[in-house]
Amino acid sequence: MRGLRDVLEQAQKKGVAIGHFNVADMVLLKAVFEAARELNVPVLVGASRGERAFMGVDQIAALVRSLRGEFDFPIFLNADHTHSLPEALEAARAGFDSVVFDASALPFEQNVRQTKEAVKALKAIKPAILVEGELGDIGVGSEIHEKAPDLAKGLTDPAEAKQYVEATGIDTLAPAVGNMHGMLKSMVRGETRKHLDIARIAEIKKAARVPLTLHGGSGTDDEDLRKAIAAGISVVHINTELRVAWRRGLEEGLAQQPNEVVPYKILSSAVESVKRVARSRLRLFNGDGVTLEIVA
Ligand SMILES: [Zn+2]
C-alpha cells in the first residue's frame, strides 16, 4: 500500500489534485469513501477540532484505518487545523497520516517558530507523518457566512512562503490565494463563485517547491479550480459543500418518510446526497472536468 507521501508525489507528476473532505459522522465518511472507490482515486479525509471532538480522535483513526485495510484502498486521514502542539501530537499518536499545524493567526516570526517546533516534535514520534503549515489569512469556519471577508490583505507572499517552508521544514503548504473557509449564501444558492489568484499560486509553487493545499475550496469556480491545480495545487479541501449536501439529504430523507424511524433508511438519502458532491469534485480534481451539480 502506497503512503500519503507517494500519493502526493504521483498527483504532482500527473498534474491532478487529491480531494480532501471533512467528515463528522459515518454518513459523510461512507459517502466520501464510496465516491472515491467508484472513481478509483485516492482520497484524504479530514477532521477538524470540532469534528475530532465529536467522533473521537482514536475512533475516527480506527474507522479510516479499517477501511484502508479491509479494502486495500488509499484513503488517508488528516488532522485539519490543529492550533496547539498537544492537539497535533494527539492526532499523530492516534495514527493520523497528516496534520495541519495552523499558527497562521500569529505574526510571521511566531508562526515560523511554532510550526518548526511542531514539525520536529511530530516527526520525532512518527517520522512518516506529513505536516502542513499555513501562511496568510483564509478565514475561519466552514459555515454559511452572511458577508464576504476582506481577503486581499491576507494573501500569501511567494518570497515569504519560500522562507517559511525552508525555516520550518513543513511537507505541504496552505497558502491564501483568494480562497476562504465557508461559503456565502449567494454561493450556496449557486449565484456567485469564489475566484482564485492563479498567478500567485504559480509563483508560490515555484518559490516554495512543496505540494500546495487549497483550503476552503467549496463554492469555487470550476475553471479556477482546474487552473489552480495546473498551477501547483495538489490537495483541495471541500467541507461546506458536503455539509450543505448532508443537511439537504437528511431533510429529504425525513420529508419523504415521515413515519420512518429506522436510521439507515432515513440516512441513506444523506449518503447519496453527499456522495454526489464528493464524486463530482473528485472527477474535477482528477482531470475529468465534470461541473458542479449540487449546490444549485
Ligand atoms: Zn481549512
Side-chain angles (χ1 to χ4, degrees):
M1 167 68 65
R2 290 177 301 157
L4 180 55
R5 191 179 296 276
D6 295 338
V7 167
L8 259 178
E9 247 162 52
Q10 277 271 302
Q12 287 189 102
K13 270 188 209 142
K14 284 163 74 182
V16 300
I18 301 165
H20 173 292
F21 302 96
N22 286 69
V23 300
D25 70 2
M26 200 62 203
V27 167
L28 288 148
L29 179 59
K30 190 173 157 65
V32 167
F33 181 61
E34 285 178 7
R37 271 194 89 206
E38 277 175 23
L39 297 171
N40 199 26
V41 292
V43 73
L44 243 175
V45 165
S48 66
R49 179 186 277 175
E51 288 154 352
R52 292 193 299 276
F54 185 74
M55 292 195 79
V57 173
D58 286 321
Q59 288 66 39
I60 174 70
L63 282 169
V64 172
R65 191 162 46 237
S66 89
L67 289 171
R68 179 157 65 196
E70 180 177 342
F71 297 91
D72 191 27
F73 192 84
I75 179 170
F76 302 97
L77 181 60
N78 173 50
D80 209 9
H81 299 285
T82 64
H83 296 279
S84 72
L85 192 52
E87 209 184 341
L89 289 172
E90 184 189 21
R93 287 197 188 97
F96 281 57
D97 302 286
S98 62
V99 168
V100 178
F101 188 79
D102 179 2
S104 62
L106 299 174
F108 183 76
E109 295 303 331
Q110 272 171 270
N111 185 355
V112 167
R113 199 172 339 115
Q114 288 201 12
T115 306
K116 185 181 174 182
E117 189 188 274
V119 170
K120 211 174 139 198
L122 286 162
K123 304 261 181 190
I125 63 164
K126 190 179 176 184
I129 201 162
L130 298 186
V131 185
E132 180 166 308
E134 190 173 317
L135 192 60
D137 181 15
I138 47 185
V140 288
S142 296
E143 295 154 28
I144 313 296
H145 303 300
E146 285 291 335
K147 56 178 191 171
D150 181 13
L151 298 170
K153 280 177 291 182
L155 293 172
T156 304
D157 173 68
E160 225 173 50
K162 177 180 160 68
Q163 201 189 336
Y164 180 69
V165 168
E166 286 171 0
T168 56
I170 50 167
D171 300 289
T172 61
L173 173 70
V177 289
N179 48 326
M180 67 160 209
H181 286 118
M183 289 168 84
L184 302 178
K185 282 186 171 165
S186 57
M187 292 171 180
V188 177
R189 289 194 297 267
E191 296 159 11
T192 59
R193 291 269 184 266
K194 292 176 198 170
H195 289 280
L196 304 170
D197 188 339
I198 306 298
R200 188 178 293 270
I201 294 170
E203 281 175 45
I204 294 170
K205 176 73 182 177
K206 200 173 150 205
R209 304 167 69 92
V210 289
L212 303 180
T213 298
L214 185 78
H215 282 248
S218 290
T220 306
D221 179 73
D222 283 0
E223 207 40 48
D224 277 29
L225 282 172
R226 289 188 193 100
K227 287 181 189 156
I229 293 165
I233 293 291
S234 300
V235 179
V236 182
H237 280 223
I238 299 289
N239 190 357
T240 315
E241 282 180 11
L242 290 198
R243 289 176 166 182
V244 170
W246 178 92
R247 185 182 174 104
R248 286 181 179 169
L250 183 59
E251 282 173 346
E252 248 174 57
L254 290 166
Q256 283 167 4
Q257 307 161 83
N259 300 314
E260 187 57 75
V261 295
V262 179
Y264 52 80
K265 290 186 182 168
I266 297 167
L267 292 172
S268 59
S269 59
V271 171
E272 281 314 308
S273 172
V274 173
K275 206 165 144 181
R276 273 198 298 278
V277 180
R279 207 192 283 125
S280 113
R281 301 285 83 183
L282 281 170
R283 277 203 190 115
L284 189 148
F285 301 158
N286 286 278
D288 168 5
V290 169
T291 45
L292 187 67
E293 58 190 38
I294 27 83
V295 285

